Amino acid sequence: MNYYIYDNWQAADRLSPKIHKWNCGYCHMGFGMHTNANRGEHGVWIGPFDEIEYARNYFQLKFNGPLNECNCVHNH
Ligand SMILES: [Zn+2]
């Protein structure tokens, strides 16, 4: 079970860094972008993290803010 953090630096609200699970619909879009030339143009995927705790630790160190998790993290 892998987790990713998506940081969309073009988002106006800057609320966007968010933890996703590998099978999230958003993450699948991210994987698609990874294979294209515009990788990183709108945002970056960070990961994978083997455990949700690793993703949370990284998130808090990197973004120095409250955790922001997609609903997919809590769905099974
Ligand atoms: Zn998600």
Side-chain angles (χ1 to χ4, degrees):
M1 194 63 72
N2 291 328
Y3 297 88
Y4 294 82
I5 299 170
Y6 184 63
D7 182 18
N8 184 347
W9 61 49
Q10 291 192 342
D13 56 14
R14 288 303 299 162
L15 292 173
S16 347
K18 207 177 233 188
I19 299 174
H20 294 274
K21 203 152 76 173
W22 67 275
N23 59 353
C24 176
Y26 288 111
C27 290
H28 282 304
M29 293 195 320
F31 289 141
M33 287 167 61
H34 262 287
T35 63
N36 294 333
N38 63 351
R39 170 182 179 182
E41 185 174 333
H42 300 294
V44 290
W45 289 93
I46 305 166
F49 300 91
D50 289 339
E51 304 285 345
I52 184 66
E53 285 76 18
Y54 300 162
R56 285 170 174 160
N57 287 342
Y58 186 96
F59 188 102
Q60 292 181 309
L61 283 172
K62 169 95 173 163
F63 301 110
N64 195 26
L67 283 172
N68 191 15
E69 298 179 356
C70 178
N71 287 335
C72 66
V73 171
H74 305 287
N75 293 337
H76 293 285

